[in-house]
Amino acid sequence: MNTLTTLEPGGPRRPRLVPDFLPGPVTASSPAFYALPVVAAGQRALARAWLWLALAALVGSGLFSVLLVLARTPGINAWLPAGDFFRVALVVHVDLSVLVWFVAIAGLLWSLNLRPARTRAGAALAWLALGLCGAGAAGMALAAFVDPGLAVMANYIPMLDSATFRGAVGLFGLGALALVLQGLVRALPVGPALDGGGALRFGLHASVVATGVALLAFAWSLAVVPVSLPPKAYYEILFWGGGHALQFTWTLLMLVAWLALAQACGGRIPLSPRIVLLLFAVALIGVFGTPLAYLMHDVSTVEHRDMHTWGMRFGGGLAIAPLALAVLLALAPLRRLGAPQRPLRAALLASMLLFVAGGVIGLAISGSNVKIPAHYHGCIVGVTLALMGLVVHLLPQLGYRAPSGRLAVLQPWLYGVGQLLHIVGLVWSGGYGVQRKVAGAEQVLRSTGEIAGMGLMGLGGLLAIAGGLLFVVVVARAMRWPQR
């Protein structure tokens, strides 16, 4: 690695690590150098803590997903408890693997993008956000055993209708609010002379704004949705608007990760920072239709629901194709990479494969069957793989070793291929009309094709679980020793 002296906005000149395999000269103003903010010494402890929370969420989600996959695998599910067990495990698995994991990684990335706190209260707010999110995540997992209540399969944030689980989700929401507030107040400026790093900082800013809109939508729904509704209808309406807004956050973070990983592999992104900033703005602008949906239509109407759906479908998707093409063009000429870069390329390619597969499956959805979870599993896992690659990329800046070797390269492919088999099995079974959110005898598998499809789903799910846990192993091994 070489060092490059950069002028951080509002601060002194600081050394930045630059990969020594990048072709040609690299300067701080290079328009194609897409690097994330340097981890400041004062932010390292906070960033590490968010990483620990993210890893804990993955471990907890993996344990619950083992029970989930076994509950849906023909032959094995007969030995497990029936529907209620499956639904409780599904609720906790989804909330840990999507909500907690994504917010924790967002906390890690946003902590890199903060100016030094001017007061003790400002610094305390950052740690308060982490503490509230950690307590909320632990409460969600604990509620599954001590106070599960009724499992409600609401979209975006499934719930256990119990006081313990509701309180845990409320704590987590307060932590996310504190995280967004400090991200809005203390964010590093993009800079007067826009470069690649400034474009990525704008992408991080945009993801904070999108999360703020999502929290506003959750609060708005909480104020207007009648509590007299049955739990299924109540939670579905409550989380619909904010859940759609959060998809803009995850998409923006994924796009930031794609660019940063392609650059870290030595690729030259064939887009100027101004074009990238414009694409990030396009990916963000659709989220501002969220408050319009609340102003124009009652939250219980079909028009309200459809406005969120179409806003996410068109507003959030326009920036993905050109950025994905630019990343592929940047990776195309790369042949022999160094050992630390090979896991990054594997995570990037696997992420793009799963995200595209999920998008294509979304075009084939008809009716309420297991094609729907196949679609969102592909897209969500695409985001997850991108963020996993970003974690591996940032470990040296956090003071740990860079993972390398066969396991580090195998992990994204094992996780990605496992999830690909998982969603292919779901699409196969969905063609026979197998219903979503059911398990065991409730699946009513009649034909050989249905059984084969769900069996493939089970095999892929188990491989994906192994890949997810292998990620924890790879990262934990790197964290055992400080960077040399």
Side-chain angles (χ1 to χ4, degrees):
M1 301 291 281
N2 300 322
T3 58
L4 171 71
T5 300
T6 61
L7 182 61
E8 291 295 321
R13 291 183 178 273
R14 301 165 57 189
R16 171 179 291 176
L17 292 175
V18 179
D20 53 17
F21 51 83
L22 285 176
V26 177
T27 66
S29 59
S30 175
F33 189 65
Y34 292 94
L36 289 169
V38 177
V39 181
Q43 298 301 123
R44 177 175 286 186
L46 180 62
R48 284 180 167 187
W50 280 112
L51 176 57
W52 278 108
L53 176 58
L55 293 177
L58 279 187
V59 171
S61 171
L63 295 176
F64 278 98
S65 65
V66 170
L67 304 176
L68 249 181
V69 172
L70 294 178
R72 302 188 74 173
T73 303
I76 299 176
N77 52 24
W79 297 89
L80 296 174
D84 289 341
F85 166 82
F86 169 78
R87 293 185 178 93
V88 169
L90 178 60
V91 166
V92 181
H93 162 73
V94 170
D95 287 338
L96 291 179
S97 63
V98 179
L99 185 64
V100 179
W101 155 257
F102 283 172
V103 170
I105 294 297
L108 165 62
L109 295 175
W110 296 343
S111 68
L112 310 183
N113 201 37
L114 297 180
R115 295 193 305 265
R118 297 181 179 179
T119 64
R120 290 184 178 180
L125 180 63
W127 286 99
L128 176 63
L130 174 66
L132 289 172
C133 287
M140 292 180 208
L142 183 63
F145 302 101
V146 301
D147 187 20
L150 174 68
V152 181
M153 300 294 108
N155 284 294
Y156 297 111
I157 304 180
M159 290 287 293
L160 301 179
D161 191 28
S162 71
T164 303
F165 197 86
R166 287 194 299 269
V169 172
L171 275 180
F172 191 85
L174 290 175
L177 176 61
L179 179 63
V180 167
L181 289 176
Q182 54 110 20
L184 292 174
V185 173
R186 291 175 53 197
L188 291 171
V190 171
L194 181 65
D195 60 3
L200 292 194
R201 288 196 296 275
F202 179 83
L204 294 177
H205 297 339
S207 65
V208 176
V209 172
T211 310
V213 174
L215 291 174
L216 173 64
F218 288 136
W220 200 327
S221 293
L222 190 64
V224 300
V225 176
V227 295
S228 58
L229 291 174
K232 170 62 178 175
Y234 177 77
Y235 290 119
E236 185 72 18
I237 297 173
L238 181 66
F239 295 130
W240 187 259
H244 275 77
L246 279 179
Q247 307 316 301
F248 290 89
T249 300
W250 313 146
T251 299
L252 284 161
L253 291 178
M254 180 186 70
L255 296 178
V256 168
W258 283 0
L259 291 170
L261 290 174
Q263 183 72 75
C265 289
R268 291 290 193 181
I269 308 297
L271 293 175
S272 73
R274 294 185 184 278
I275 295 298
V276 170
L277 188 149
L278 175 63
L279 290 173
F280 281 148
V282 170
L284 172 67
I285 196 168
V287 80
F288 296 111
T290 301
L292 290 178
Y294 283 87
L295 290 170
M296 294 174 62
H297 304 290
D298 185 88
V299 293
S300 61
T301 61
V302 174
E303 291 79 8
H304 178 87
R305 291 172 61 89
D306 287 348
M307 192 168 179
H308 290 298
T309 302
W310 288 104
M312 183 183 69
R313 183 173 298 176
F314 291 104
L318 293 176
I320 296 174
L323 279 174
L325 179 60
V327 167
L328 289 175
L329 291 174
L331 292 178
L334 302 180
R335 294 296 181 265
R336 300 182 63 181
L337 298 183
Q341 284 71 51
R342 286 196 286 270
L344 306 184
R345 181 173 62 181
L348 177 53
L349 292 175
S351 167
M352 298 179 76
L353 173 65
L354 264 295
F355 194 86
V356 170
V360 170
I361 291 170
L363 300 176
I365 291 176
S366 59
S368 179
N369 54 55
V370 290
K371 289 182 182 179
I372 296 174
H375 158 64
Y376 64 67
H377 268 89
C379 294
I380 287 172
V381 171
V383 177
T384 297
L385 279 162
L387 299 182
M388 285 178 170
L390 213 52
V391 168
V392 172
H393 172 51
L394 289 172
L395 283 175
Q397 286 204 52
L398 297 177
Y400 304 119
R401 294 200 317 179
S404 60
R406 293 181 179 178
L407 283 182
V409 178
L410 171 66
Q411 182 275 318
W413 288 119
L414 180 62
Y415 186 55
V417 171
Q419 285 288 3
L420 187 62
L421 293 176
H422 181 84
I423 64 176
V424 167
L426 289 173
V427 171
W428 183 348
S429 302
Y432 289 96
V434 176
Q435 296 299 294
R436 59 190 297 225
K437 299 180 182 178
V438 295
E442 297 177 54
Q443 295 178 114
V444 193
L445 304 180
R446 301 183 181 89
S447 67
T448 302
E450 291 173 293
I451 295 173
M454 294 307 287
L456 181 62
M457 178 282 307
L459 173 62
L462 291 173
L463 290 176
I465 291 167
L469 294 178
L470 183 58
F471 171 76
V472 177
V473 171
V474 168
V475 173
R477 288 175 59 184
M479 295 169 71
R480 288 178 59 187
W481 298 281
Q483 182 188 15
R484 291 182 294 181

